[in-house]
Amino acid sequence: MLGASRTMSGTDRPDADAASNQSGSLLRFDLENFKRKAFGKRAGVFGAAILISLLGLAGTATAQSYPSRTISLVVPYPPGGGVDAMARIVADRLSVALKHSVIVDNRAGAGGNIGTRAVAKADPDGHTLLLGHTGTISINPSLYANAGYDPRKDFTPIGLIASMPVALIAHPSFPAKSMAEVVALLKQQPGKFNIGTSAIGTGGYLTAEYFKSAAGVDITIVPYRGTGPLMNDLIGGHIPFAFGVLPPAMGSIQAGTLRAIAVTGPKRFSLLPDVPTATESGLPGFDSVLHYGLLAPPGTPRPIVDRLNKELRALVETDVVKQRIQTEGGDSLTSSPDEYVQDIDLEERKWSALIKKLNLKVE
């Protein structure tokens, strides 16, 4: 702060002569010399303390003035899917908490890469956010030849929202009733069975690839363009079983026209408590869970991140939101920003290792 003021020199006064210029210079020199002698290192410490205080005040002001306009929550998929549903749950409640509108902005294309890239390049002011999930954050960067973003460098994680297990779902005529029986049947008749999944690159598809590798079975994976056609063919018996998320199948499972053999998470799904996990039913250690979270562009100020994390955790922990997440096939999940950073790293390493092992690549 001391360096902010300056003594007027001869160059500031057109009518000054050389002598006054010189004396002015000497005066400034003596003054600076006096400061150094009088304060020494304490001046630097004092200045640093002032700077830290000012930065703290700036951070507080940033948090207090945020948000200043409508927030765009980008969903990198079309309306109607699981990611879109999760975003709308968050947007509704976050709008109330922040006292500003939070709108869902569907930017579909390239397997979720287009919308995800857009957020990575957005202004880091907290007014553009991303509803991220395992497909875009943990799978696409390794699966696509040029996803266009780095999940570790190009985003500021805010917090987790939910986890959603994939399930092994079968037509009632399929003879195997447990994961152990499924594996035994597939090994007895290698190459005979087809298994349906959602599109290449989705959690369902990667779970099927993971299953083939972990169980050591020979099956043909049949990816569908959407969960609707997949469920129709499964209900019609055109494919015997499939890996997929639960919401599109819940009604059919409850009606008995489909059967859930196992869920692929570390614990049973809350709405299907009688359906065992893959580990419980014969495939130890098999874990394939989709994670959903909120992210911001890189460089978003920490006070804004902390404000969003606080509001996100509060809303996810309410009974209303927990129930809505369950209805969509998931279980609520909260974290700090730093815990979400660790989760992204762990999940990306897990899925990238599988993708590299199987030599999977989408151009």
Side-chain angles (χ1 to χ4, degrees), residues 48-318:
I50 292 175
L51 179 60
I52 291 171
S53 298
L54 290 174
L55 290 174
L57 290 172
T60 302
T62 299
Q64 290 177 344
S65 62
Y66 172 81
S68 59
R69 62 179 188 274
T70 297
I71 296 171
S72 175
L73 178 53
V74 175
V75 174
Y77 297 101
V83 181
D84 180 72
M86 208 65 66
R88 294 181 189 280
I89 293 171
V90 171
D92 289 348
R93 309 294 292 189
L94 203 56
S95 295
V96 175
L98 296 176
K99 298 181 175 60
H100 268 273
S101 296
V102 179
I103 61 169
V104 174
D105 181 5
N106 296 92
R107 301 192 198 180
N113 291 336
I114 290 177
T116 305
R117 281 197 298 261
V119 176
K121 297 176 181 178
D123 291 336
D125 58 9
H127 292 92
T128 302
L129 305 174
L130 174 70
L131 202 296
H133 89 305
T134 299
T136 51
I137 301 302
S138 303
I139 293 175
N140 284 6
S142 295
L143 183 66
Y144 282 82
N146 183 22
Y149 55 88
D150 184 323
R152 294 178 178 84
K153 298 178 181 178
D154 293 336
F155 301 97
T156 301
I158 294 168
L160 286 161
I161 298 167
S163 64
M164 185 179 294
V166 177
L168 182 60
I169 307 164
H171 187 269
S173 63
F174 188 62
K177 301 295 190 293
S178 69
M179 187 65 85
E181 291 180 6
V182 171
V183 173
L185 177 64
L186 299 181
K187 288 187 174 181
Q188 290 169 4
Q189 303 180 57
K192 177 180 178 180
F193 292 95
N194 295 336
I195 183 167
T197 72
S198 45
I200 293 175
T202 61
Y205 176 82
L206 265 294
T207 300
E209 292 282 10
Y210 179 24
F211 172 72
K212 282 182 64 176
S213 176
V217 295
D218 180 11
I219 53 174
T220 300
I221 298 175
V222 181
Y224 285 73
R225 294 182 65 87
T227 55
L230 171 61
M231 289 297 115
N232 287 339
D233 271 11
L234 187 59
I235 292 170
H238 302 297
I239 52 172
F241 62 147
F243 274 113
V245 292
L246 285 164
M250 283 296 292
S252 299
I253 292 171
Q254 292 167 347
T257 53
L258 290 177
R259 176 164 44 87
I261 294 176
V263 294
T264 59
K267 62 180 182 179
R268 298 190 180 197
F269 177 51
S270 53
L271 293 187
L272 292 173
D274 296 330
V275 177
T277 66
T279 293
E280 290 175 322
S281 60
L283 194 59
F286 190 77
D287 183 1
S288 179
V289 179
L290 307 180
H291 288 182
Y292 297 77
L294 193 64
L295 303 106
T300 301
R302 186 67 189 215
I304 291 178
V305 172
D306 289 341
R307 169 81 188 283
L308 286 168
N309 178 263
K310 176 185 176 182
E311 301 297 354
L312 181 66
R313 293 183 77 143
L315 71 89
V316 170
E317 289 171 352
T318 63

Side-chain angles (χ1 to χ4, degrees), residues 27-43:
L27 177 61
R28 288 196 302 276
F29 174 81
D30 289 342
L31 179 59
E32 293 302 322
N33 189 42
F34 171 77
K35 290 175 185 175
R36 285 195 297 270
K37 288 182 178 179
F39 296 103
K41 293 182 179 179
R42 286 178 294 174

